[in-house]
Amino acid sequence: MARRRARLAGLPDDGSGIREWLERHEDEDRWQCHLCFGSFQPGDEIQWDHLDPIAGGEAGTAVENVRAAHGACNISRRNTPLDVWYARVGTPEEAAA
Ligand SMILES: [Zn+2]
């Protein structure tokens, strides 16, 4: 749904899908939530989050703009810019300290 709206709005879309996004994550060998930096556990709901939210009106759906996140983290963040979200919940480094 969001992707269709983004296409209609003329935002970039490299045609990538879950296969390409997974490949990117495997290449990085860092299979963790990009929001809380927690690793994924069996049974975790994983959602694909747009680094730069589509709602921002500039970024689209491309491999470089899609990251895996816990469902709960993604829902918590919604369309909040990353720096604003981290200011609210604390960065993962702060949370670990
Ligand atoms: Zn998370």
Side-chain angles (χ1 to χ4, degrees):
M1 295 286 274
R3 191 170 198 177
R4 185 164 173 272
R5 279 199 304 273
R7 277 202 185 115
L8 290 173
L11 297 178
D13 191 322
D14 66 358
S16 63
I18 211 163
R19 181 187 303 262
E20 288 79 17
W21 306 338
L22 274 171
E23 268 174 15
R24 186 188 176 284
H25 270 271
E26 285 170 1
D27 286 349
E28 276 196 337
D29 199 23
R30 200 168 53 89
W31 189 234
Q32 62 188 25
C33 174
H34 89 98
L35 291 172
C36 73
F37 290 10
S39 56
F40 295 121
Q41 304 299 324
D44 279 355
E45 185 194 356
I46 295 171
Q47 295 183 355
W48 295 96
D49 185 32
H50 285 80
L51 214 51
D52 199 348
I54 282 182
E58 290 177 20
T61 300
V63 171
E64 287 310 310
N65 195 38
V66 176
R67 298 288 184 278
H70 293 118
C73 293
N74 189 32
I75 289 167
S76 165
R77 181 193 171 201
R78 294 177 186 274
N79 291 324
T80 311
L82 259 191
D83 53 345
V84 174
W85 192 74
Y86 278 139
R88 186 187 306 158
V89 302
T91 63
E93 287 85 355
E94 286 169 352

